Amino acid sequence: AKRVIFLFMSGGVSHVESFDPKPKLVADAGKKIPIHEFQGRKGEFQMFLKRPHWEFKPHGKSGIEVSSLFPQIATCVDDLCVIRSMTSDHTNHYEATLGIHTGSFTFARPSIGSWLSYGLGTVNRNLPSFVVIAPFSPYAGGQVWGSDFLPGAHQGTLVVPGAEPIANIQRRTPTQDMQEKELRALEAMNRRHLRDH
């Protein structure tokens, strides 16, 4: 089975400094252009066009252009799927982060990891179908790995640095016996709910 790894950064380097060469931006560097909205504010703004700091070159058999900022990534570029066709008309980080992870920046939807888990399943039902490594809460918080209206089993498992990398792994009850009693009580309530509904 192949693993699918998505890397989304909540902030970070500009796309024009990494995997998205813009020859016209280089040619027009130094010019100013008018825009009608900036970070959610309507109005007339003048923006200064600035060329990337790093040069782009094609790499691998695919010829995908990568900036010289990432020489190691350039060596394995044929293992990447670089998507350059996505656009958004929103300029705020919160909405943009929510949009790239869920497809909607107006309200929460299942994350892309949740849809993959739901559609493809997992190779091991005893492990999470996908994990999220987030030392700090990103823009839009846990919505970016949430399952929303899909079953909770398809939500990402958050891993953070520290003494408890995954929350709620350790039992909260003082003894194993107490935990088993709580689980039996919960199972009885679930059966009653199923019977009544």
Side-chain angles (χ1 to χ4, degrees):
K2 286 210 169 211
R3 288 180 295 161
V4 178
I5 299 172
F6 285 95
L7 173 62
F8 291 108
M9 292 188 291
S10 187
V13 296
S14 165
H15 61 102
V16 298
E17 302 284 9
S18 52
F19 305 104
D20 199 4
K22 303 276 190 207
K24 184 144 176 53
L25 180 62
V26 173
D28 291 345
K31 296 180 183 176
K32 287 186 177 180
I33 59 166
I35 63 168
H36 310 296
E37 182 182 343
F38 180 65
Q39 294 191 341
R41 293 175 295 162
K42 303 284 185 195
E44 296 301 315
F45 301 93
Q46 291 289 316
M47 290 295 177
F48 176 76
L49 297 178
K50 183 178 172 302
R51 65 172 287 136
H53 289 289
W54 288 270
E55 300 296 323
F56 282 82
K57 290 183 183 169
H59 293 275
K61 291 180 182 177
S62 61
I64 293 175
E65 293 183 69
V66 179
S67 81
S68 58
L69 177 62
F70 296 112
Q72 298 302 318
I73 291 176
T75 64
C76 59
V77 74
D78 287 334
D79 295 325
L80 302 179
C81 173
V82 178
I83 301 171
R84 295 185 177 138
S85 59
M86 298 173 82
T87 63
S88 172
D89 57 359
H90 214 290
T91 58
N92 285 338
H93 283 87
Y94 179 98
E95 288 84 356
T97 302
L98 188 60
I100 197 167
H101 286 272
T102 69
S104 169
F105 50 72
T106 54
F107 59 94
R109 305 279 303 187
S111 66
I112 190 169
S114 296
W115 279 118
L116 284 170
S117 170
Y118 179 75
L120 299 176
T122 178
V123 294
N124 186 336
R125 292 180 57 97
N126 295 319
L127 294 173
S129 57
F130 76 103
V131 298
V132 178
I133 301 171
F136 305 101
S137 182
Y139 295 107
Q143 292 174 314
V144 300
W145 60 80
S147 57
D148 199 49
F149 56 76
L150 294 176
H154 302 292
Q155 178 168 304
T157 298
L158 176 62
V159 180
V160 296
E164 189 178 22
I166 300 174
N168 304 315
I169 292 284
Q170 302 298 321
R171 77 167 180 263
R172 304 292 184 202
T173 57
T175 66
Q176 178 78 24
D177 185 52
M178 177 87 67
Q179 183 182 39
E180 288 172 3
K181 286 178 182 175
E182 287 181 352
L183 290 173
R184 283 196 299 271
L186 183 61
E187 185 181 4
M189 287 188 281
N190 283 339
R191 279 198 307 271
R192 188 181 326 128
H193 183 276
L194 181 62
R195 184 192 65 226
D196 295 344
H197 300 290

